[in-house]
Amino acid sequence: MLLGGALPLQAQQFSLRELNFEFVDEGKCRIVASPDASGDLVIPGEVMNDDTMLSVVAIGDDAFAGCRSLTSVMLPASVEEIGRKAFYDCTSLRDLILGQNLKSLGMQAFDGCGALVNVVSTTATPPQCGNYAFSDAVYQSALLTVPSGTRQAYRAENPWSRFLNIDEDDNPGLHPELTVSLPAGDITTGERYGAQVSLRFVADAGWSVHSVTLDGVDVSAELSPLGYYVTPPIYQATRLQVVFADSAGAAAATADEGVKVKVRNRTVSISGYAGNWSACSADGRVLYNGCAGEVELDYSGVVIVTIGNNNFKFRI
């Protein structure tokens, strides 16, 4: 027996990571019961099974029902249909993005998802919905974001009209912030929900990239030889911290007036100067302020020593 005229019966279902699929037609599949789904879930638009590329066109009935650890869902443009009770009782689900070609939501598709605070519909035509598509409380408290110029269309279509808060966006979707922390300050950008950002870090002459951490996790090993780094998909406020170091690791610097600064391990030594000086971390935290000739700092990373009008950078 063949399904869609091409695929053998034994190949009708398959799994990729926590998602389970079944064929619906030649070149197409839908997601079926996947009870292990959790966290931030990005539904793929296409999946490969053996040597066949399949478009994911639907979320089946009860596919994610009861996945109480699911926190966000992003649907691709390929999905046209969400089945009955597809996300029923996903009690931790907060953020939802519906793809731009979605045509219908089945009865109780998101019923029991009382934690929803952001519902984003990227299609200009409001999808048709079965009864109780969302919980009553969601209509009262969640923000529905739709494409610019379509608010009236959603206001005129049940149950979308039941959302008290409807916003328009030229590029609808959640925009979590990515903050890149550098020695001179921070750069913060608003990124599309689920976006992966490509960055390149280039150090000045005599310096190198010492470390890169993503929300406290060292990702330095993921830098390419040319200094490129691609973030994982971004779903929430994220901080990327970059630390630069002098190439020598332990070095000495001399000011024009004869002041000498030496750094070895964590000890800073000052000679030729008897006044006040300070040492700060690259992000501006004061590590020392005084007139001692030698100080051991309880710190690891880039240090900026300031003596009068002179600044010296070291890595300790």
Side-chain angles (χ1 to χ4, degrees):
M1 177 180 177
L2 297 181
L3 181 65
L7 299 166
L9 180 62
Q10 62 269 25
Q12 287 186 14
Q13 294 192 354
F14 63 98
S15 299
L16 292 174
R17 296 185 295 276
E18 75 271 34
L19 300 178
N20 299 315
F21 301 84
E22 70 177 10
F23 295 100
V24 296
D25 201 351
E26 185 173 358
K28 298 179 180 180
C29 66
R30 65 172 162 238
I31 295 179
V32 293
S34 301
D36 295 328
S38 63
D40 299 313
L41 178 63
V42 178
I43 303 293
E46 294 181 315
V47 291
M48 179 72 77
N49 183 49
D50 295 330
D51 296 326
T52 304
M53 182 65 76
L54 302 168
S55 179
V56 181
V57 298
I59 309 297
D61 294 347
D62 304 299
F64 298 101
C67 290
R68 296 190 171 187
S69 296
L70 203 58
T71 53
S72 69
V73 173
M74 182 177 184
L75 298 177
S78 62
V79 171
E80 298 179 359
E81 177 186 347
I82 297 176
R84 179 183 58 83
K85 288 190 173 182
F87 293 89
Y88 179 76
D89 204 29
C90 292
T91 54
S92 298
L93 183 62
R94 290 177 52 84
D95 302 311
L96 169 66
I97 296 184
L98 304 173
Q100 64 190 46
N101 293 311
L102 183 66
K103 295 178 173 60
S104 66
L105 282 73
M107 184 173 63
Q108 294 184 279
F110 294 94
D111 194 15
C113 302
L116 272 172
V117 293
N118 290 295
V119 178
V120 180
S121 180
T122 60
T123 176
T125 302
Q128 296 296 308
C129 297
N131 294 333
Y132 312 108
F134 297 93
S135 298
D136 288 342
V138 170
Y139 296 122
Q140 306 297 314
S141 59
L143 172 65
L144 171 63
T145 304
V146 299
S148 294
T150 67
R151 184 179 357 223
Q152 290 308 313
Y154 278 84
R155 287 286 190 201
E157 190 76 35
N158 188 50
W160 304 105
S161 59
R162 297 185 60 191
F163 280 90
L164 291 184
N165 304 304
I166 302 181
D167 197 8
E168 291 184 331
D169 193 327
D170 288 334
N171 200 13
L174 304 179
H175 300 273
E177 290 185 343
L178 170 66
T179 299
V180 180
S181 181
L182 299 165
D186 293 346
I187 300 173
T188 300
T189 62
E191 302 296 337
R192 284 300 303 273
Y193 189 80
Q196 291 183 268
V197 182
S198 178
L199 302 163
R200 187 185 184 193
F201 305 111
V202 180
D204 291 338
W207 289 76
S208 62
V209 177
H210 172 252
S211 65
V212 179
T213 56
L214 185 72
D215 288 336
V217 177
D218 195 316
V219 294
S220 305
E222 299 179 27
L223 262 67
S224 76
L226 294 179
Y228 286 99
Y229 172 72
V230 179
T231 69
I234 295 174
Y235 303 106
Q236 58 190 4
T238 302
R239 176 172 289 273
L240 189 71
Q241 186 165 26
V242 186
V243 175
F244 293 91
D246 65 303
S247 299
T254 304
D256 292 339
E257 60 268 29
V259 176
K260 292 184 177 181
V261 182
K262 295 184 66 176
V263 174
R264 182 170 296 278
N265 296 326
R266 297 186 180 184
T267 300
V268 180
S269 300
I270 308 295
S271 60
Y273 184 78
N276 232 47
W277 60 276
S278 65
C280 297
S281 64
D283 59 3
R285 182 160 58 93
V286 177
L287 305 173
Y288 174 78
N289 186 32
C291 57
E294 186 173 281
V295 173
E296 183 175 353
L297 301 177
D298 184 18
Y299 177 77
S300 294
V302 175
V303 172
I304 301 173
V305 174
T306 301
I307 301 177
N309 294 322
N310 297 288
N311 293 315
F312 309 103
K313 293 183 181 180
F314 300 96
R315 174 180 168 269
I316 62 174

